[in-house]
């Protein structure tokens, strides 16, 4: 934006604020307003940790809902020096803004700085916006993390029996929540948590960066998430969710730092994300063994588009292993996998129950992989010893088409369950270039049934070739899901100043 536009915008702001029609102002009035304009510009300039940063009075952003009211974290005593604890400032700000739930909603703006904080809870009809130079630093003091009950569909924590530490950004029973920014950063400072996990010193399950429970109409977008103690983004028991434009980075050896885990959710869209992870980049879940079966809430109507993933020891897209409430109607396309263990993995076991069905993946490019496709029927890892050994999972109607892969160690490892085969597997128009040190047998298939068409190298006998005329045999639905009708709109934020706060800086 050039100086003329800056001047014009600032002049309009002052005009709107004080009711001045500057077209008809006298020269002296105009000069005074110019001074106010440049005073405002100077006022919005700060020195943050030695870096000269300009605050913007006005900006636009994209969101599912715009807000009528707003505040900045500094209005509530926030200090962005990287050492002052801001948990109370965050919660005070959100508590104050909650009064506007039924009056157009509200937005909390986090300005440039390093904002150390413990966990805080969100409110309804609310937007949390991080400036591009804002960094939320998760406190490493366990006292800043409340302990909450295990998820009812899991029956216990993932790391330990019993409770779990609340997530850094947490919400429950909410409607219309946006967590976004201009690519601002949320740093989980997870190294100490990873160390305690490896040493077996955790009292409770590690916190996630973002968890939203029992909620509707959620947007998480345009942020950078780094070094989460465990999972990064965990919407659970929720509906109508958009996860968009996230950059998620963790050391590839960090434990359980999954990228995005939709869990017992309906109508979810994940798109345009870049993830480097120590675990699965996207893990689709719906509860664990008898607890997930009893809770009975599936994940369904899930769209995944334009995902780039690096995960040397896990999957790009995983379905399970906690899938006891069911997973169905998952549609993934335009996926880039680089240096990852597997492209698509289905994980389950005896005792899981539930189902994984109606899965559609197309347009996937894989570079340097251990397996392109992996299905596991003996994953194990039970919540406790009370699971039902007669609860067998149903895996059916799995469709993969229009994919290329290079430098692959093994094309596929597809292992169903004896007496409970995985059925309806369809793989078509897939070319896999094997690595120089590839396995001698590229396909390993047991207890599965399906077909193939136009697949190189030749698949196992359980996936008989149907000929080139069936190259489009694997379905990909042509209808759209309801989540594609949930659109974002252009919203704006304008920081308001009183006349006195501007004039005192002249």
């Amino acid at each position: 934006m050039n100086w003329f536009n800056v001047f014009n915008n600032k002049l309009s702001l002052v005009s709107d604020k004080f009711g001045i029609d500057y077209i008809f102002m006298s020269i002296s009035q105009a000069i005074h307003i110019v001074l106010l304009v440049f005073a405002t510009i100077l006022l919005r300039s700060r020195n943050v940790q030695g870096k000269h940063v300009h605050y913007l009075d006005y900006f636009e952003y994209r969101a599912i809902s715009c807000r009528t009211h707003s505040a900045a974290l500094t209005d509530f005593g926030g200090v962005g020096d990287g050492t002052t604890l801001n948990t109370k400032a965050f919660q005070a700000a959100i508590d104050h803004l909650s009064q506007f739930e039924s009056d157009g909603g509200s937005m909390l703006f986090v300005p440039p700085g390093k904002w150390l904080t413990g966990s805080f809870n969100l409110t309804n009809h609310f937007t949390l916006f991080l400036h591009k130079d804002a960094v939320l630093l998760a406190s490493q003091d366990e006292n800043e993390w409340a302990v909450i009950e295990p998820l009812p569909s899991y029956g216990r924590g993932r790391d330990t029996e019993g409770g779990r530490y609340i997530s850094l950004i947490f919400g429950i029973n909410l409607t219309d929540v946006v967590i976004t920014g201009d690519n601002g950063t949320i740093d989980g400072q997870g190294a100490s948590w990873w160390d305690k996990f490896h040493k077996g010193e955790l009292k409770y399950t590690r916190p996630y960066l973002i968890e939203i429970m029992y909620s509707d109409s959620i947007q998480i977008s345009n942020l950078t998430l780094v070094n989460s103690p465990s999972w990064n983004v965990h919407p659970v028991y929720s509906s109508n969710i958009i996860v968009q434009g996230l950059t998620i980075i963790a050391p590839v050896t960090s434990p359980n730092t999954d990228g995005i885990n939709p869990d017992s959710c309906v109508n979810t869209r994940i798109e345009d994300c870049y993830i480097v992870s120590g675990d699965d980049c996207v893990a689709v879940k719906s509860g664990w063994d008898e607890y997930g079966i009893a809770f009975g809430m599936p994940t369904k109507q899930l769209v995944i588009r334009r995902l780039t993933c690096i995960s040397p020891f896990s999957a790009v897209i995983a379905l399970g292993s906690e899938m006891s409430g069911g997973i169905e109607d998952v549609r993934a396309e335009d996926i880039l996998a680089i240096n990852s263990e597997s492209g698509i993995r289905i994980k389950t076991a005896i005792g899981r129950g539930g189902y994984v069905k109606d899965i559609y993946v197309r347009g996937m490019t894989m570079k340097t992989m251990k397996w392109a496709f992996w299905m596991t029927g003996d994953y194990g890892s039970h919540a406790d010893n009370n699971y039902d050994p007669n609860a067998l999972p149903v895996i059916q109607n799995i469709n993969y088409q229009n994919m290329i892969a290079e430098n692959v160690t093994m094309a596929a490892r597809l292992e169903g369950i004896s007496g409970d085969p995985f059925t309806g597997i369809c793989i078509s128009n897939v070319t896999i270039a094997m690595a120089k040190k590839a396995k001698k047998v590229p396909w390993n298939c047991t207890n599965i049934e399906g077909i193939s068409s136009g697949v190189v190298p030749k698949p196992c006998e359980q996936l008989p070739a149907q000929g080139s005329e069936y190259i489009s045999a694997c379905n990909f639905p042509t209808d759209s899901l309801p989540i594609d009708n949930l659109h974002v709109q252009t919203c704006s934020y304008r920081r308001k100043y009183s006349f006195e706060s501007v004039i005192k800086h002249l």
Side-chain angles (χ1 to χ4, degrees), residues 183-497:
N183 205 33
T185 300
I186 303 174
D187 186 346
Q189 300 200 103
S192 63
W193 295 98
W194 307 332
D195 187 57
K196 290 176 185 177
F197 172 80
H198 286 305
K199 292 179 178 179
E201 295 176 352
L202 289 170
K203 298 177 182 178
Y204 304 101
T205 291
R206 287 165 288 161
Y208 308 143
L209 283 190
I210 301 172
E211 182 175 70
I212 306 294
M213 299 177 60
Y214 299 111
S215 298
D216 181 71
S217 298
I218 305 300
Q219 175 188 337
I220 304 169
S221 64
N222 300 328
L223 297 167
T224 296
L225 311 181
V226 298
N227 301 321
S228 177
S230 185
W231 299 352
N232 280 270
V233 177
H234 185 223
V236 57
Y237 317 142
S238 296
S239 59
N240 299 311
I241 304 153
I242 295 176
V243 180
Q244 185 180 62
L246 296 186
T247 298
I248 300 176
I249 299 175
V252 296
T253 56
S254 57
N256 312 116
T257 51
D258 300 36
I260 305 164
N261 290 7
D263 195 343
S264 294
C265 288
V266 178
N267 212 28
T268 304
R269 188 169 87 222
I270 300 169
E271 57 190 7
D272 301 308
C273 294
Y274 175 85
I275 304 173
V276 180
S277 174
D279 211 310
D280 304 319
C281 288
V282 174
V284 186
K285 300 178 181 292
S286 67
W288 200 3
D289 289 352
E290 70 270 23
Y291 303 103
I293 295 171
F295 197 77
M297 183 178 288
T299 289
K300 59 183 180 180
Q301 297 179 329
L302 168 64
V303 174
I304 306 170
R305 298 192 187 105
R306 298 181 299 277
L307 168 72
T308 298
C309 168
I310 300 173
S311 182
F313 304 107
S314 289
V316 175
I317 298 175
L319 306 166
S321 74
E322 304 91 340
M323 39 63 66
S324 300
I327 297 171
E328 65 178 299
D329 199 356
V330 176
R331 310 177 185 190
E333 57 184 329
D334 299 329
I335 311 297
L336 175 59
I338 303 171
N339 188 24
S340 296
E341 186 176 55
S342 57
I344 312 160
R345 187 179 183 188
I346 296 175
K347 301 186 283 187
T348 188
I350 293 172
R352 284 288 194 272
Y355 53 84
V356 177
K357 64 181 182 180
D358 304 335
I359 309 300
Y360 311 95
V361 186
R362 69 179 179 186
M364 189 170 191
T365 300
M366 295 172 269
K367 301 181 178 183
T368 307
M369 311 291 292
K370 188 172 184 180
W371 295 285
F373 312 121
W374 192 4
M375 299 182 186
T376 309
D378 62 349
Y379 192 77
S381 180
H382 295 287
D384 52 38
N385 293 324
N386 297 320
Y387 67 90
D388 180 2
N390 296 314
L392 300 179
V394 174
I395 313 298
Q396 65 183 24
N397 193 24
I398 313 298
N399 299 271
Y400 304 149
Q401 64 170 295
N402 303 340
M403 302 183 184
I404 57 174
E406 61 184 47
N407 196 27
V408 177
T409 303
M410 189 171 186
R413 178 180 172 184
L414 310 178
E415 300 169 331
I417 297 172
S418 179
D420 181 34
F422 299 173
T423 63
I425 299 168
C426 182
I427 304 177
S428 70
N429 194 28
V430 173
T431 299
I432 301 173
M434 307 306 293
K436 291 182 179 180
K437 296 183 179 181
K439 298 289 185 181
K440 292 182 179 179
V441 179
W443 294 77
N444 180 12
C445 306
T446 56
N447 299 303
I448 67 158
E449 300 172 5
I451 61 171
S452 65
S453 177
V455 177
V456 178
K458 182 180 178 181
C460 52
E461 61 182 13
Q462 291 92 337
L463 299 172
Q466 302 299 300
S468 58
E469 65 271 24
Y470 294 94
I471 202 164
S472 60
C474 305
N475 294 323
F476 196 98
T478 57
D479 64 323
S480 61
L481 291 175
I483 189 61
D484 284 321
N485 297 322
L486 181 60
H487 300 294
V488 297
Q489 57 188 301
T490 300
C491 303
S492 62
Y493 169 85
R494 177 170 291 186
R495 184 83 167 118
K496 297 180 180 179
Y497 299 96

Side-chain angles (χ1 to χ4, degrees), residues 10 38-46 53-57 72 74 109 111-112 493 495 497:
K10 296 293 182 181
F38 284 97
T40 304
I41 295 172
L42 291 173
L43 175 62
R44 299 302 291 157
S45 179
R46 297 287 188 272
V53 178
H54 292 283
Y55 286 26
L56 295 178
D57 292 301
T74 49
F109 174 66
Y493 169 85
R495 184 83 167 118
Y497 299 96

Side-chain angles (χ1 to χ4, degrees), residues 139-159:
S139 173
Q140 295 175 297
D141 180 359
E142 290 186 12
N143 294 321
E144 286 293 312
W145 305 84
V147 177
I148 59 176
E149 292 294 316
L151 293 168
S153 60
Y154 284 70
R156 53 159 287 170
R158 292 294 288 113
D159 294 334

Side-chain angles (χ1 to χ4, degrees), residues 1-10 37-38 41 56:
M1 181 180 291
N2 60 38
W3 279 106
F4 174 80
N5 289 333
V6 172
F7 171 81
N8 204 39
N9 288 340
K10 296 293 182 181
V37 167
F38 284 97
I41 295 172
L56 295 178

